Amino acid sequence: MITRSAPGVHTGNQQTVSDSWQMQLANCVTQPEELLEILGLDPSFLPAAISASKTFAMRIPRSYIARMEYSNPNDPLLKQVLPLEQELREVAGFGIDPLGEKDKNPTEGVIHKYHGRLLLITSGACAVNCRFCFRRHFPYQDNQLSGRHLEEALNYIKNDDSIREVILSGGDPLAASDRRLQQLTEALADIPHVKVLRIHSRLPIVLPDRVTDDMLDWLGSTRLKTVIVLHCNHANEINGNVRAAIARLKQTGATVLNQAVLLRNVNDSVDALVELSETLFDAGAMPYYLHLLDKVQGAAHFDISRESAQDLVRGMMQRCSGYLVPKLVQEIAGKTSKTIIPLSE
């Protein structure tokens, strides 16, 4: 066991964490009372946090909490994970399946929306329950990718030679064990027309100890071209441990990208977005997509207008080299690809 104290956190807020990522995952903070106590926050937040967490559970790794500023209710990391009363309000235009995935779910654990690639729901678990998650209402219990369902999913891929890329998603695919991920990767590599393995994960950001030697072994030994798409929304999420995890991922030969979501009162300023891109690049990850919020029920308070998003990206272009400006995109149900938002209309 090791004791770590976090920069920016009150010196009394120390935590003991295990070297094992699995133990850290099991030891996440799941009760609003404990979160408020750790961060010295006003107890008035508690009733709403308890109510909102009943409809979508709170789950936060302690190492992620340690990056938050003590006694600051406006901390940009806290705002991504603290349940709020606004989540309980029904807002027109926000639903439980904002991307129309129910209609693109041909067999358990498979989402096939776009030509040439599909997504496997590799795990229904996450290390952190982000309050804006577009799959917060997803029926994971009906999409368990194991046993017969895994065999059916692999056969689906084998029978469609247009599929060149398989995306591991969830939940978070890296919440699964390395043994299971290695077996799945080897099975995909045995399908000749599959060329690219893409992994969408937030774990290297919120729980960087997940990047283990065992993970690097299977990730670096596949014949498939590998792409890791991280999900980081604010520069404060990137500390020394995250930098080390990204560096280790890159040592396998993987391409490391980042996709972020525009979130009101989290990263909705040019300063925040420029700092995010510059910090990502310095850590070894390329800015890739900047998403407009998926209109999922419970997340309307994070929403930013399309016009405001365009203004923000135009502001980034004035201050950043082009390779640091992510594509502004929106995912619209029924479309054949993500929609790139033009900056002049």
Side-chain angles (χ1 to χ4, degrees), residues 132-320:
F132 50 87
C133 178
F134 70 90
R135 288 203 185 112
R136 58 186 289 165
H137 306 287
F138 188 80
Y140 290 109
Q141 68 278 5
D142 299 329
N143 282 275
Q144 300 293 322
L145 198 64
S146 60
R148 176 176 60 85
H149 295 160
L150 175 58
E151 183 178 352
E152 290 174 354
L154 291 171
N155 284 334
Y156 181 89
I157 297 169
K158 290 175 185 177
N159 292 331
D160 186 346
D161 62 9
S162 73
I163 297 170
R164 296 287 189 267
E165 181 175 20
V166 174
I167 303 163
L168 305 188
S169 186
D172 196 306
L174 294 185
S177 70
D178 285 312
R179 180 173 178 270
R180 180 166 175 249
L181 290 168
Q182 180 174 2
Q183 292 173 340
L184 177 57
T185 300
E186 290 173 351
L188 293 171
D190 285 339
I191 303 174
H193 54 264
V194 176
K195 307 297 183 186
V196 179
L197 175 71
R198 192 183 342 158
I199 300 172
H200 285 200
S201 181
R202 190 137 160 78
L203 260 80
I205 300 297
V206 301
L207 194 68
D209 286 344
R210 174 62 185 93
V211 182
T212 62
D213 289 341
D214 287 343
M215 175 186 169
L216 298 174
D217 284 345
W218 63 259
L219 188 64
S221 63
T222 177
R223 71 160 181 86
L224 301 171
K225 287 285 188 181
T226 54
V227 180
I228 310 292
V229 182
L230 305 174
H231 180 182
C232 178
N233 297 315
H234 197 279
N236 290 3
E237 296 180 275
I238 301 176
N239 63 5
N241 288 342
V242 172
R243 289 174 181 271
I246 293 173
R248 298 188 80 202
L249 290 172
K250 293 188 70 174
Q251 288 172 3
T252 68
T255 298
V256 181
L257 307 173
N258 184 72
Q259 58 182 352
V261 180
L262 267 175
L263 300 167
R264 181 176 298 279
N265 296 325
V266 173
N267 58 11
D268 58 334
S269 72
V270 174
D271 285 345
L273 293 173
V274 168
E275 185 181 11
L276 173 60
S277 280
E278 290 178 345
T279 305
L280 284 166
F281 181 71
D282 187 61
M286 288 298 299
Y288 169 45
Y289 279 151
L290 182 61
H291 288 262
L292 292 183
L293 182 76
D294 295 318
K295 294 186 181 298
V296 64
Q297 182 178 304
H301 55 292
F302 288 111
D303 198 24
I304 292 170
S305 72
R306 179 182 172 120
E307 293 75 19
S308 294
Q310 290 169 314
D311 286 342
L312 289 169
V313 176
R314 281 192 288 264
M316 291 186 73
M317 293 180 67
Q318 293 173 8
R319 292 177 48 183
C320 292

